[in-house]
Amino acid sequence: MSRTQDQNSGIDRRGMLAGGGFALLAASSGQALAQAKAKPLKVAAIYTVPVEQQWVSRIHKALNAAKDRGDVTYRWSENTANTDYERVMRQYATEGMDLIIGESFAVERAARKVASDFPKIAFVMGSSFQPSKPNFAVFDNFIHEPSYLTGMVAGKATKSNIIGLVGGYAIPEVNRLMQAFMEGAKSVNPNVKFLVAFINSWYDPPKAKEAAFAMIDRGADIMYAERFGVTDAAKERNVKAIGNVIDTSAQYPGVILASALWQMEPTIDRVIKNVMAGTFEPADYGVYSYMAHGGAALSPLDPKLVPQDVIDLVKAKEKEILDGEFRVNVNDAEPKSSA
Amino acid sequence: MEAFEILLQANFWAAAIRIATPLIFGVIGALICERAGVLNLGIEGIFVAGAMAGWLAVYLGAGLWTGVAIAALVGALFGLLHGLFTVILGLSQHVTGIGITLFATSAAYFGYRVAFPSVTEPPRIMAFQPLDLAALKLIPVIGPALAQQTALTWLAFACVALAALILYRTPLGLAIRAVGDNPASVDAQGLSVAGLRMGALAAGSALMALGGAFLTMSAFNAFFFGMINGRGWVCIALTVFASWRPEKALIGALLFGAFDAYQVRLQTLAGGIVPSQVFLMMPYILSIVALVLVARRADYPRALMKPYIKGER
């Protein structure tokens, strides 16, 4: 419960940060980081899952792009168990990195302890919580805006008025995207009902597939594919799917109607620039995953799969979001099946 | 009311059988090892290795059945490695088993990363397709459920029958059971205790690997790290539930599959009222309850986990 509240109040703070709150934090942060660093920066990333995992693959891609530009040297450890995470962080830190990127969802306390032990290194971690001084910045996949837009596509496309959603774990990072998707679907189709299930695993495609089959059996004709495996079930049973984080429409031609994409480049590039300039702050970089910063996007819509009037509707809403006229709610509560 | 109607749907039973298939392979494999007196906790890792080896072989151009054979071979090799430590050297079966699980898991992943250093998604293969046996569809509920299964599920059923036949109707089966109950008597007969145990480990571990291979070659069409997700450990519990009998093992695996298929349907039905985690716990809680009820009467192999050293009493 406290997590939800933190998160909600965090959004307000996030807005404040974007609006110039950076200066406040800058004044109070440690001095150790406040010196310019030469190119290329020494960067290490520590992931708890393989780099093929959708979420992590976006970070990996952005860092590889930075490496190819010559901005950084990039070393990474994947599939690091949470119980090993602190040790690996310390190892990279003692080897003398400029910047360490990772995900601290299950190791918040330990990760923040390590960061405070190495004040000269910038830490940027995926987290559901707030940044901590002097050097622990956070980010997250705030792609609820395009998720809302894909929800509109799904709400218009469903004929049975039943949409199925299969998620990994019911945590804020997953919940907020599902909630935004459901809100988007409801906005264009008030009659739509949702079936929601979680599989309690990030990486069990056979299980995700079974959950999707169960929903299709109950009449779902659009599947929100938060996990690998759901789109496969949709393809086998000839229903449509909505993609999440990555665009897999090339692998499933004719199955994926739309995808909400996450792009880590704006976040990573901003972090690298700040560390190089000596202006790195323990800030919340979540805002750089918003559409306005190019951190999130709606995949191109195929007129063969989505009717033109729906495309126009979605594009109009997309413009409203980009212009700041429409704000998609961030709701981290666990989504529930409609009765 | 709808909660009960689910039980009459063919698609529900099809899902239950699909979920149960890797468990059937695994529990029969574990049962054969344990009948010979060796607890094989390498099962979770052998699942991973089998899933990886079979899928990789097919990806590299082998036929599906060749992939199945390669998965079984890899499983057998890990079984023999387990046997080297536990049967020949007489070391702790617990420690060796956990070691095999860690080693096989890491080796499979290492192999995966060496083969695919920079892919954005694991490559897919053309997996086993449902056989779609028309004749079966005449039987209500269970017929259409069986018709949706792939050849590997039928292989799993065949393995149950074969294991039951061999264990209870052949001299070899008698020797395997005896070596798990009283190895000294087998030795007195002039049979090789080590040979029987190694053979059982190789065969049992090959079946475990097929359980993994089912996941990457039938239930899904790609290898993902972590996708075994504790299925091997479930098989160890099911072996006790089955009280080391193949026909009960089949029932246990199907029961677990049915619980799991049921919980995901209940999540969409009553998920608004009851937290999703309660449903996710359900198959495991019911397994524990079943174990408690059944395991007290379980007739375990008397020499389970006891290494046999010739001439020692």
Side-chain angles (χ1 to χ4, degrees):
Chain A
M1 192 195 117
S2 61
R3 179 177 254 210
T4 313
Q5 282 185 348
D6 284 353
Q7 200 58 50
N8 286 339
S9 60
I11 299 317
D12 299 329
R13 250 173 283 166
R14 203 164 272 132
M16 184 193 83
L17 286 174
F22 279 112
L24 236 161
L25 271 166
S28 58
S29 73
Q31 296 303 305
L33 270 164
Q35 46 185 293
K37 296 225 164 78
K39 199 169 156 174
L41 284 183
K42 279 180 282 181
V43 178
I46 312 161
Y47 308 119
T48 61
V49 288
V51 287
E52 282 90 353
Q53 204 265 359
Q54 300 100 311
W55 200 89
V56 155
S57 71
R58 309 311 295 172
I59 309 170
H60 190 57
K61 179 168 169 273
L63 282 170
N64 269 325
K67 186 184 84 174
D68 294 343
R69 282 200 308 268
D71 285 353
V72 301
T73 60
Y74 174 37
R75 293 173 60 198
W76 46 281
S77 299
E78 61 179 335
N79 218 34
T80 306
N82 282 317
T83 43
D84 261 348
Y85 205 89
E86 183 179 353
R87 177 183 63 78
V88 179
M89 272 180 90
R90 279 188 193 281
Q91 190 178 329
Y92 277 125
T94 42
E95 281 173 20
M97 293 291 158
D98 298 317
L99 169 63
I100 293 180
I101 291 170
E103 35 171 333
S104 62
F105 295 106
V107 286
E108 291 286 357
R109 203 167 285 150
R112 282 160 207 263
K113 177 81 176 52
V114 175
S116 67
D117 287 348
F118 296 91
K120 287 186 179 152
I121 300 173
F123 288 83
V124 181
M125 294 281 161
S127 168
S128 312
F129 292 100
Q130 296 303 308
S132 25
K133 281 181 258 180
N135 57 342
F136 191 94
V138 295
F139 66 89
D140 210 341
N141 61 331
F142 283 97
I143 57 165
H144 51 290
E145 293 160 339
S147 296
Y148 183 94
L149 299 175
T150 60
M152 291 172 68
V153 174
K156 281 284 186 192
T158 178
K159 293 189 182 68
S160 64
N161 282 340
I162 301 175
I163 295 175
L165 300 90
V166 178
Y169 292 89
I171 62 164
E173 286 64 37
V174 175
N175 296 348
R176 75 168 70 103
L177 307 188
M178 285 187 167
Q179 293 281 11
F181 171 84
M182 289 158 77
E183 218 175 293
K186 279 252 180 231
S187 73
V188 295
N189 183 351
N191 297 323
V192 72
K193 283 193 159 54
F194 302 100
L195 306 175
V196 184
F198 293 92
I199 59 167
N200 262 30
S201 163
W202 291 133
Y203 246 153
D204 194 340
K207 195 164 185 172
K209 212 171 149 184
E210 287 300 342
F213 279 146
M215 292 173 179
I216 297 167
D217 285 346
R218 287 203 66 208
D221 63 352
I222 307 279
M223 291 303 306
Y224 177 79
E226 207 267 327
R227 292 285 107 202
F228 282 126
V230 178
T231 315
D232 300 82
K235 189 180 165 196
E236 271 180 43
R237 293 282 171 92
N238 284 322
V239 302
K240 302 294 179 200
I242 299 290
N244 186 42
V245 177
I246 53 172
D247 190 353
T248 56
S249 53
Q251 286 98 309
Y252 303 95
V255 179
I256 307 235
L257 294 181
S259 302
L261 309 178
W262 187 30
Q263 286 152 357
M264 256 307 261
E265 284 80 2
T267 309
I268 293 290
D269 295 351
R270 170 82 47 162
V271 167
I272 289 172
K273 199 174 122 228
N274 286 351
V275 173
M276 273 188 193
T279 55
F280 176 79
E281 304 298 337
D284 188 338
Y285 284 84
V287 68
Y288 297 106
S289 290
Y290 280 53
M291 279 177 95
H293 287 278
L298 178 70
S299 67
L301 299 176
D302 183 352
K304 282 192 227 81
L305 293 170
V306 184
Q308 192 58 45
D309 59 318
V310 177
I311 295 182
D312 295 341
L313 189 75
V314 170
K315 286 288 166 197
K317 189 59 89 178
E318 182 181 30
K319 188 169 182 303
E320 278 182 41
I321 293 173
L322 287 171
D323 294 347
E325 287 163 20
F326 181 77
R327 185 171 160 278
V328 179
N329 287 326
V330 174
N331 179 355
D332 288 347
E334 181 178 333
K336 303 280 187 192
S337 296
S338 329
Chain B
M1 208 54 239
E2 212 179 330
F4 294 102
E5 282 167 21
I6 290 172
L7 299 175
L8 296 173
Q9 291 165 2
N11 278 346
F12 162 73
W13 288 105
I17 296 169
R18 260 198 314 270
I19 297 169
T21 302
L23 304 178
I24 297 172
F25 279 120
V27 68
I28 296 294
L31 182 148
I32 290 172
C33 295
E34 292 182 28
R35 272 290 183 168
V38 186
L39 175 70
N40 188 354
L41 292 184
I43 183 167
E44 181 82 7
I46 295 171
F47 258 73
V48 179
M52 157 73 185
W55 163 80
L56 187 63
V58 175
Y59 174 71
L60 295 176
L64 279 172
W65 287 107
T66 315
V68 170
I70 287 171
L73 185 72
V74 168
L77 287 177
F78 277 110
L80 291 175
L81 184 65
H82 190 285
L84 172 69
F85 290 109
T86 56
V87 178
I88 309 290
L89 301 176
L91 301 175
S92 159
Q93 297 184 1
H94 287 120
V95 177
T96 305
I98 300 285
I100 295 278
T101 283
L102 294 174
F103 172 59
T105 308
S106 310
Y109 190 50
F110 181 72
Y112 171 81
R113 188 48 86 216
V114 169
F116 307 101
S118 55
V119 292
T120 51
E121 204 183 318
R124 308 296 178 108
I125 59 166
M126 191 66 201
F128 280 100
Q129 298 299 313
L131 292 179
D132 211 17
L133 302 166
L136 274 171
K137 288 182 183 156
L138 301 173
I139 313 166
V141 183
I142 214 73
L146 284 170
Q148 292 182 31
Q149 306 301 328
T150 63
L152 279 185
T153 298
W154 293 101
L155 180 66
F157 290 149
C159 285
V160 177
L162 201 65
L165 191 75
I166 289 175
L167 279 176
Y168 292 101
R169 295 278 185 276
T170 65
L172 174 66
L174 183 65
I176 291 172
R177 283 185 292 137
V179 88
D181 269 326
N182 190 344
S185 72
V186 174
D187 202 13
Q189 294 270 328
L191 295 169
S192 163
V193 172
L196 280 165
R197 286 188 166 173
M198 291 293 268
L201 268 171
S205 303
L207 287 180
M208 295 170 183
L210 291 188
F214 173 84
L215 291 171
T216 50
M217 298 170 66
S218 175
F220 204 63
N221 54 7
F223 173 77
F224 283 79
F225 196 67
M227 72 189 290
I228 302 304
N229 203 11
R231 286 175 174 88
W233 305 133
V234 170
C235 293
I236 294 291
L238 283 175
T239 315
V240 183
F241 171 80
S243 126
W244 292 271
R245 299 187 66 96
E247 69 285 0
K248 285 193 189 168
L250 175 66
I251 295 170
L254 286 173
L255 215 56
F256 187 92
F259 285 149
D260 205 17
Y262 197 50
Q263 67 87 5
V264 76
R265 282 161 176 79
L266 278 186
Q267 267 198 60
T268 63
L269 203 65
I273 312 147
V274 187
S276 60
Q277 289 83 355
V278 173
F279 297 109
L280 287 159
M281 273 194 298
M282 209 175 75
Y284 300 94
I285 288 184
L286 289 174
S287 306
I288 292 171
V289 170
L291 262 180
V292 169
L293 295 176
V294 175
R296 297 173 70 168
R297 285 179 287 132
D299 190 15
Y300 64 94
R302 291 288 183 279
L304 185 60
M305 288 186 279
K306 290 190 190 116
Y308 180 73
I309 296 158
K310 210 178 167 91
E312 200 174 73
R313 297 171 62 94

